[in-house]
Amino acid sequence: MLKHCLLGLLLTATTFMSYAQEAQTNSTDAKTAYIIDDLYTFMRSGASKSHRLLGSVNAGAKLTILSAEENGFVKVKDDKGREGWIETKFVTETPGLHQQYNELSSEISSIQEKLRQAQIELPQLQEQNQILTNQNKQLSEQITKLKETLTQERAKKEATSSEEKRQLLTYGGAIAFLGLFLGIILTIVLSRRKRYEGWA
């Protein structure tokens, strides 16, 4: 029983020491890092191999660096939310193959989803395109007919204008001829009347 109590006190003391170390290092700006490939490493409660193990961290795991290097160790927070110390030589700022694979897989999934959506929308877009093409064809035919009608109306108007001008010239010529004819007749009649009056 006493051994259990001492073990509990020891664990509690170790936890408090860890929290005290965390309070000293929280002021450092956090940045992202990764465990190097092809291995797993251990996370410890302090910046030395004498501190207790908190667990292992898999190769390629994403980390958040919480402190500067200390005794060849750096304080990190792993992708499971655990905080502890890992040997600096096992930490890199370059994403490992595992992380790159996960990111590429995520991008591929996103692209495949977009492609699937595009394939679903393609028939609808093709149908809309066909409808718009037919509407454009109908409007083009209507425009062509309207142009033809406008051309015909202009031709009729020009023909009517020419006919009116011809009629006006004809009527003007007839009136002029009639006036000339009447003038000649009146001149002859008046000259004869004067002649008869002279005889009288």
Side-chain angles (χ1 to χ4, degrees), residues 5 67 69 103 127 131 163 174 185:
C5 291
S67 74
E69 182 180 351
E103 291 177 356
E127 183 179 354
I131 292 172
E163 181 65 20
I185 292 175

Side-chain angles (χ1 to χ4, degrees), residues 21 31 34 37 55-56 70 75 97-98 103 130 139-142 147 152-153 164 166 169-170:
Q21 290 174 348
K31 60 182 179 179
Y34 304 88
D37 288 319
S56 62
E70 182 179 334
K75 187 176 182 183
L97 296 177
H98 181 70
E103 291 177 356
Q130 186 62 41
L139 290 173
S140 296
E141 291 175 353
Q142 291 179 2
K147 285 182 178 179
Q152 293 174 359
E153 291 295 328
E164 289 177 351
R166 188 182 63 79
L169 289 174
T170 303

Side-chain angles (χ1 to χ4, degrees), residues 41-177:
T41 188
F42 295 104
M43 180 182 288
R44 297 181 180 273
S45 61
S48 71
K49 291 185 179 180
S50 62
H51 286 79
R52 69 184 178 89
L53 295 175
L54 300 178
S56 62
V57 185
N58 294 327
K62 187 175 182 180
L63 306 173
T64 301
I65 296 178
L66 302 178
S67 74
E69 182 180 351
E70 182 179 334
N71 296 329
F73 283 77
V74 62
K75 187 176 182 183
V76 299
K77 181 177 182 180
D78 69 1
D79 52 0
K80 297 178 182 177
R82 300 177 299 178
E83 293 185 9
W85 295 79
I86 293 177
E87 288 187 74
T88 308
K89 65 182 179 180
F90 298 135
V91 179
T92 176
E93 294 184 7
T94 304
L97 296 177
H98 181 70
Q99 183 69 21
Q100 293 179 26
Y101 172 79
N102 289 338
E103 291 177 356
L104 289 175
S105 296
S106 177
E107 290 181 11
I108 289 173
S109 297
S110 176
I111 291 172
Q112 287 176 341
E113 178 62 22
K114 290 179 180 178
L115 179 60
R116 188 180 67 83
Q117 289 292 335
Q119 289 173 341
I120 292 173
E121 295 174 0
L122 181 60
Q124 299 175 354
L125 294 174
Q126 288 176 335
E127 183 179 354
Q128 292 179 0
N129 180 62
Q130 186 62 41
I131 292 172
L132 292 174
T133 301
N134 293 336
Q135 290 179 349
N136 182 60
K137 184 178 179 180
Q138 292 175 358
L139 290 173
S140 296
E141 291 175 353
Q142 291 179 2
I143 290 173
T144 301
K145 289 180 180 179
L146 288 173
K147 285 182 178 179
E148 291 176 354
T149 303
L150 182 61
T151 302
Q152 293 174 359
E153 291 295 328
R154 285 177 177 173
K156 288 181 181 179
K157 186 175 181 181
E158 290 176 358
T160 302
S161 178
S162 298
E163 181 65 20
E164 289 177 351
K165 289 179 180 178
R166 188 182 63 79
Q167 290 179 353
L168 287 175
L169 289 174
T170 303
Y171 293 153
I175 292 171
F177 178 77

Side-chain angles (χ1 to χ4, degrees), residues 26-40:
N26 278 342
S27 60
T28 305
D29 292 336
K31 60 182 179 179
T32 302
Y34 304 88
I35 296 296
I36 61 176
D37 288 319
D38 301 327
L39 63 87
Y40 70 93

